[in-house]
Amino acid sequence: KANQSPLYMTQDRTEMSEDDDDQSPPSDLRSEPPCSSSSSAVDSTPNKSRNCISSSGTMTASQPFPDHVLENVLENVLQFLDSRCDRNSASLVCKSWWKVEALTRSEVFIGNCYALSPARLTQRFKRVRSLVLKGKPRFADFNLMPPDWGANFAPWVSTMAKAYPWLEKVDLKRMFVTDDDLALLAESFPGFKELILVCCEGFGTSGIALVANKCRKLKVLDLIESEVTDDEIDWISCFPEDVTSLESLAFDCVEAPINFKALEGLVGRSPFLRKLRLNRFVSLEELHRLLLGAPQLTCLGTGSFSHDNGAHQSEPEPDYAAAFRACKSVVCLSGFRELMPEYLPAIFPVCANLTSLNFSYANISPDMFKPIIHNCHKLQVFWVCILLDLCLHDSEGPVSELGLQAISEGCRNLESILYFCQRMTNAAVIAMSENCPELTVFRLCIMGRHRPDHVTGKPMDEGFGAIVKNCKKLTRLAVSGLLTDQAFRYMGEYGKLIRTLSVAFAGDSDMALRHVLEGCPRLQKLEIRDSPFGDVALRCGMHRYYNMRFVWMSACSLSKSCCKDVARAMQNLVVEVIGSDDDDDNRDYVETLYMYRSLDGPRKDAPKFVTIL
Amino acid sequence: AKKMINFEATELRLGLPGGSHGGDMAVKNNGKRGFSETIDLKLNLSSTAMDSASEVDLENMKEKVVKPPAKTQVVGWPPVRSFRKNVMSSQKPSTEVATEGTEKTSGSSGATSSASAGAAVAYVKVSMDGAPYLRKIDLKLYKTYHDLSDALSKLFSSFTIGNYGPQGMKDFMNESKLIDLLNGSDYVPTYEDKDGDWMLVGDVPWEMFVDSCKRIRIMKGSEAIGLAPRALEKCKNRS
């Protein structure tokens, strides 16, 4: 039957809502009386030219039938479509569009590596050059998930090694990547250009050395906030001796010394290098030398920004400011890992051009950075970690709400904020909601758990309520402090565009979660910890779990029997229970629930502490 | 402000969290304990009070104990990536980096360490009369009875019996409420100690409790009344 064809079975809809009840075959596969030569040819060989997915992907008919012409035209048009949302929409128009879109999609984004198998990827998309793949859920960053949970890159790289020899770019987030994986990558893709590893682990400098050595066309090697083991390999020396194509090299997270001479040589023979992020093993003097050799940089991570211990200070000190002055293109500055504040003025020459400044790894006080940012007229992105004792104080502690208030008054175009504090007031949050209508990301972490408004003693409901009401563009929200169900009522009702919601130590009852699950129409990612939400609430979301990327609930009040019911009712949902008590007394309690939709059923690589219901 | 119990009138002794009060009980006057949950690394408020520990103003201590704890070790809270914490602790700053709740993992692999960074864990089962399941908690995660009561109330808060509510458990350590609890149908946490005896939680100094507690049972107040005299007797024997 036509509706049994692989075409239907491999169909991957990223915004699945109701199941498609229409199982009828597409018009070109029906056996209708032929009115044109095209249909008859198609009918007589129904699986030959239509099932491109399972065959080589080329047309087998010898004559250019009108349908094929259409597909050629489509191919030429669709190749210009970049946005994956547009491509997803285009692929739903009809089978023909679906097929051509699959042929022309060169960049694939997979938000959850367990949503499908690597085989499904390579079966549908034949000409992939770039893959973005995300693994562990974000709460794994905070030790809420035991190590070795999964998100292994291995099956992906081995499948793609055979299917996509022309692969150019791999961008991974929270994946487990081994040196063997990197070795396979380095050997399998001769045209490989960009490797980006964000929050990854499992590999070391030996894997990096292989990539540096074998990927001769490498343009981007970005290691960002990843755990990289020090295999005591001089990986910088492993880059080829000739002129390189390097445009971006970021290794600020690599906790291992590097061969500076080799780095200097590498930078010297990388004329296209624009982005360089050094680790803390590069001293200020060494930075100076690099800058003199690479004034064309646009993005700089400064390394330690301090002296070598024991470096002789007797020589005239290098003119650091001059080196920075020569870098007329720097717009993005970070690093300062072991900042010596007396040298901070050296960066003054680049302040006027800066659009992004990241002091978050620096031991810096407001007095130190105030004169800097005073000169940063074009600044768009600012990261800083403020030491608590150097803030405004009253008798009870740092007055964090004044800081938030000041930001809201000064930065009217604010789009994204992540703010940690001990305590907060509704008034300050409401002020931000009124002053900053452009907010798309509002993440407030009141570190004292269950803290009410410290002036009024009331819950923080009205503050967060104002945010969801007034910030109409809000797509990401993280809440904290003392919150009752009322706060969630606001979120459900007004959070029309919220895609990501993080909840910790909040809410009074199941009603809170119900409000969110029955509202928030665009919700994709829901992460909840230590909140009193139970089975009743979980059941309220059954109508929408397929439309979400994942739900995480840890240390809530869920029972295994309810989770089993959910798993039974929703066949394409993988329901993982992680790290439950192996205690007989406690067989029904769920410590952590992580559930997500999947086209290929439960994964085969689940460790012992994961139970898939 | 919560009033202090008149001990003579009630014959009940309570080991106040960090409390020192006159009487026969040789409770360690460890004034530091009472403040431990409110110590921010950089706030100097508490340390001043700590220094003048011997004649501590109990009323003031009570105020601080009752407020939500500013610092209790909880896994993954605040939500700062371990990587960032490691980097910060490996810096050689002149002043300490004082993000609230930063565990000083001192270079250990933050990504895999648990909250009880190297210290022994003390898991005990917690059951509540009428609840369908047990929980297990690690007593080493908490520094005071108040922290514990906070945690317990959240553990079982979605499960309501009678007039018990999520805030009700928080008060169990307040003496004025305890009498009501014992007389009423509210719930009281009790624990089984090394000797196999069932005691009222809050009976003994915190560290002693952590060392001797084998499991916790939250029982109806009316059932717990019989415990009080035994608890008192035991304490008298100890001191």
Side-chain angles (χ1 to χ4, degrees):
Chain A
K1 284 203 282 192
N3 61 358
Q4 298 289 327
S5 79
L7 223 72
Y8 283 93
M9 293 204 259
T10 57
Q11 187 166 23
D12 173 17
R13 286 187 265 173
T14 51
E15 301 277 0
M16 269 163 57
S17 48
E18 295 82 48
D19 287 332
D20 186 7
D21 289 328
D22 179 18
Q23 294 291 335
S24 61
S27 54
D28 52 3
L29 282 177
R30 286 196 200 104
S31 44
E32 286 167 358
C35 47
S36 71
S37 52
S38 63
S39 323
S40 63
V42 169
D43 283 344
S44 59
T45 56
N47 288 329
K48 214 165 180 208
S49 54
R50 287 299 164 195
N51 276 349
C52 292
I53 302 314
S54 51
S55 69
S56 64
T58 57
M59 300 293 170
T60 53
S62 50
Q63 292 172 39
F65 294 104
D67 282 345
H68 297 174
V69 170
L70 174 65
E71 287 192 0
N72 287 339
V73 169
L74 264 179
E75 198 172 323
N76 281 309
V77 170
L78 288 186
Q79 67 176 335
F80 292 104
L81 222 53
D82 288 331
S83 140
R84 68 174 193 267
C85 290
D86 289 346
R87 281 189 160 272
N88 292 345
S89 303
S91 72
L92 294 177
V93 168
C94 66
K95 292 306 143 200
S96 181
W97 281 51
W98 187 85
K99 189 180 63 172
V100 174
E101 191 285 313
L103 279 175
T104 56
R105 189 183 298 221
S106 62
E107 296 168 7
V108 174
F109 171 90
I110 298 175
N112 174 9
C113 65
Y114 287 122
L116 69 158
S117 66
R120 187 177 288 267
L121 166 71
T122 56
Q123 276 164 25
R124 177 174 173 185
F125 299 110
K126 293 304 194 185
R127 299 183 189 161
V128 173
R129 291 184 188 269
S130 159
L131 175 71
V132 177
L133 187 59
K134 298 191 179 182
K136 289 186 246 187
R138 197 177 70 95
F139 275 6
D141 288 354
F142 314 124
N143 295 346
L144 289 182
M145 183 182 256
D148 306 327
W149 171 79
N152 300 304
F153 183 49
W156 294 91
V157 66
S158 62
T159 304
M160 291 194 299
K162 302 183 198 98
Y164 301 144
W166 46 78
L167 191 69
E168 292 179 0
K169 173 177 168 182
V170 165
D171 180 337
L172 307 178
K173 187 166 188 179
R174 292 194 190 94
M175 296 287 299
F176 191 83
V177 182
T178 65
D179 291 321
D180 287 340
D181 298 337
L182 292 176
L184 185 59
L185 183 147
E187 281 159 18
S188 310
F189 308 116
F192 196 76
K193 294 192 177 134
E194 299 185 40
L195 180 64
I196 301 163
L197 302 176
V198 181
C199 300
C200 294
E201 57 177 346
F203 62 99
T205 47
S206 42
I208 299 304
L210 281 168
V211 171
N213 186 251
K214 303 208 172 174
C215 300
R216 299 270 151 163
K217 304 233 168 98
L218 198 65
K219 287 206 234 179
V220 173
L221 178 58
D222 282 352
L223 308 172
I224 299 169
E225 302 214 3
S226 292
E227 292 236 357
V228 183
T229 58
D230 179 7
D231 302 330
E232 293 177 27
I233 286 200
D234 180 5
W235 57 278
I236 300 273
S237 296
C238 293
F239 281 94
E241 288 296 316
D242 345 316
V243 170
T244 77
S245 327
L246 271 182
E247 296 175 13
S248 173
L249 178 63
F251 59 95
D252 40 356
C253 63
V254 177
E255 287 293 300
I258 49 129
N259 177 341
F260 177 71
K261 195 147 171 287
L263 178 63
E264 206 178 0
L266 176 66
V267 171
R269 63 182 191 277
S270 303
F272 305 106
L273 193 68
R274 294 289 176 275
K275 301 184 184 183
L276 181 63
R277 287 164 58 166
L278 307 166
N279 70 6
R280 64 180 179 89
F281 292 89
V282 179
S283 70
L284 201 46
E285 295 94 340
E286 290 169 340
L287 171 67
H288 180 256
R289 282 165 61 176
L290 286 175
L291 288 182
L292 291 180
Q296 76 280 13
L297 291 177
T298 59
C299 176
L300 175 66
T302 64
S304 68
F305 215 82
S306 77
H307 283 309
D308 272 341
N309 285 333
H312 35 263
Q313 313 291 341
S314 56
E315 294 176 0
E317 203 155 59
D319 189 348
Y320 298 119
F324 275 96
R325 202 172 299 121
C327 295
K328 299 195 191 305
S329 312
V330 166
V331 294
C332 169
L333 202 55
S334 63
F336 309 100
R337 300 262 167 159
E338 284 160 10
L339 173 68
M340 281 185 173
E342 58 267 36
Y343 292 103
L344 205 47
I347 71 171
F348 274 130
V350 299
C351 287
N353 289 333
L354 284 183
T355 56
S356 169
L357 180 56
N358 185 342
F359 278 134
S360 65
Y361 284 100
N363 197 351
I364 195 170
S365 70
D367 286 338
M368 292 188 236
F369 66 71
K370 266 197 290 191
I372 306 269
I373 58 178
H374 190 66
N375 290 322
C376 296
H377 306 288
K378 296 188 189 168
L379 205 61
Q380 296 172 12
V381 176
F382 183 52
W383 286 97
V384 69
C385 177
I386 300 184
L387 300 180
L388 294 176
D389 66 339
L390 297 169
C391 276
L392 296 163
H393 251 71
D394 64 10
S395 60
E396 296 212 29
V399 189
S400 315
E401 68 270 17
L402 291 187
L404 193 70
Q405 180 93 27
I407 292 171
S408 77
E409 285 164 9
C411 306
R412 294 298 170 115
N413 295 328
L414 194 66
E415 293 178 6
S416 173
I417 182 167
L418 168 60
Y419 194 88
F420 287 82
C421 56
Q422 288 282 7
R423 52 190 204 164
M424 187 47 60
T425 61
N426 282 304
V429 179
I430 292 171
M432 174 153 277
S433 78
E434 290 166 352
N435 294 336
C436 303
E438 301 297 313
L439 274 177
T440 55
V441 174
F442 183 77
R443 298 160 67 190
L444 179 62
C445 180
I446 302 170
M447 292 187 285
R449 291 167 295 134
H450 309 124
R451 283 272 171 94
D453 178 325
H454 78 90
V455 166
T456 66
K458 295 210 173 109
M460 291 298 298
D461 297 344
E462 293 309 309
F464 285 102
I467 290 284
V468 290
K469 274 185 221 167
N470 299 335
C471 301
K472 305 211 191 306
K473 301 184 182 178
L474 200 71
T475 56
R476 182 170 179 183
L477 178 65
V479 301
S480 57
L482 181 66
L483 293 173
T484 71
D485 293 351
Q486 177 60 36
F488 295 84
R489 185 189 297 272
Y490 288 139
M491 286 179 231
E493 185 175 342
Y494 297 103
K496 298 263 185 273
L497 297 183
I498 293 179
R499 286 178 41 98
T500 307
L501 179 64
S502 296
V503 177
F505 304 100
D508 289 332
S509 75
D510 285 336
M511 274 316 295
L513 182 53
R514 278 187 72 165
H515 290 311
V516 167
L517 291 173
E518 291 172 359
C520 295
R522 297 280 170 94
L523 194 62
Q524 288 289 302
K525 298 181 266 184
L526 181 59
E527 42 189 37
I528 301 173
R529 63 167 294 183
D530 294 273
S531 300
F533 308 146
D535 298 347
V536 170
L538 193 69
R539 289 185 208 278
C540 291
M542 306 263 280
H543 63 291
R544 67 181 310 178
Y545 294 137
Y546 278 156
N547 286 348
M548 295 174 65
R549 190 181 297 175
F550 70 79
V551 173
W552 167 290
M553 289 178 68
S554 58
C556 296
S557 305
L558 297 171
S559 74
K560 239 183 227 171
S561 29
C562 175
C563 293
K564 278 193 192 147
D565 290 346
V566 171
R568 214 175 295 127
M570 306 189 73
Q571 291 300 313
N572 288 333
L573 205 64
V574 174
V575 179
E576 294 195 12
V577 167
I578 301 169
S580 260
D581 273 334
D582 41 19
D583 194 346
D584 275 348
D585 288 339
N586 225 1
R587 227 177 290 141
D588 206 33
Y589 180 71
V590 169
E591 182 63 41
T592 299
L593 166 73
Y594 179 54
M595 61 186 193
Y596 48 89
R597 62 187 172 196
S598 172
L599 291 171
D600 287 309
R603 57 190 175 112
K604 313 272 188 312
D605 62 356
K608 275 204 295 275
F609 54 81
V610 170
T611 310
I612 298 183
L613 298 179
Chain B
K2 306 284 176 183
K3 293 214 170 64
M4 291 253 300
I5 274 191
N6 180 341
F7 285 103
E8 275 121 27
T10 62
E11 289 188 24
L12 264 185
R13 296 290 178 148
L14 282 182
L16 287 177
S20 81
H21 44 86
D24 303 337
M25 274 180 76
V27 179
K28 257 191 306 180
N29 179 18
N30 186 354
K32 291 182 185 182
R33 249 202 343 274
F35 284 104
S36 63
E37 79 274 12
T38 59
I39 291 177
D40 285 344
L41 286 173
K42 298 318 277 182
L43 287 183
N44 292 318
L45 300 172
S46 328
S47 55
T48 340
M50 270 162 61
D51 291 340
S52 52
S54 46
E55 282 303 315
V56 190
D57 180 3
L58 263 173
E59 284 296 315
N60 265 350
M61 272 177 70
K62 292 286 296 81
E63 283 288 0
K64 289 187 168 40
V65 163
V66 165
K67 276 187 189 154
K71 181 161 135 72
T72 301
Q73 262 190 318
V74 173
V75 177
W77 189 261
V80 177
R81 288 201 70 234
S82 333
F83 176 76
R84 193 175 283 277
K85 281 187 200 169
N86 281 348
V87 169
M88 288 171 122
S89 58
S90 71
Q91 282 179 345
K92 11 183 210 337
S94 48
T95 55
E96 240 179 78
V97 176
T99 45
E100 166 67 8
T102 299
E103 290 129 33
K104 294 197 187 154
T105 53
S106 46
S108 69
S109 162
T112 52
S113 66
S114 68
S116 47
V121 295
Y123 279 105
V124 298
K125 292 183 191 180
V126 182
S127 63
M128 179 167 170
D129 287 0
Y133 49 69
L134 294 182
R135 295 297 298 273
K136 266 208 277 193
I137 58 173
D138 176 8
L139 291 179
K140 295 279 184 180
L141 286 184
Y142 311 106
K143 294 221 158 46
T144 63
Y145 283 113
H146 187 83
D147 295 345
L148 176 63
S149 85
D150 205 35
L152 290 180
S153 69
K154 282 297 167 184
L155 280 185
F156 291 105
S157 65
S158 68
F159 180 69
T160 57
I161 304 176
N163 53 0
Y164 164 83
Q167 300 302 316
M169 281 275 268
K170 278 208 183 91
D171 292 329
F172 81 77
M173 285 320 303
N174 298 324
E175 319 68 34
S176 54
K177 254 260 187 169
L178 191 70
I179 306 299
D180 298 332
L181 288 178
L182 292 178
N183 287 332
S185 58
D186 285 333
Y187 284 74
V188 168
T190 63
Y191 73 102
E192 182 183 6
D193 73 1
K194 279 190 224 183
D195 306 339
D197 293 333
W198 283 89
M199 315 270 284
L200 280 177
V201 173
D203 206 23
V204 300
W206 174 257
E207 277 88 4
M208 201 184 295
F209 167 71
V210 172
D211 284 340
S212 61
C213 172
K214 288 289 151 242
R215 64 183 287 157
I216 294 176
R217 180 181 156 205
I218 303 171
M219 59 171 73
K220 281 189 161 39
S222 45
E223 289 186 31
I225 282 194
L227 287 180
R230 277 172 56 213
L232 176 63
E233 199 180 348
K234 195 151 182 168
C235 281
K236 278 187 177 161
N237 290 341
R238 280 212 193 91
S239 56

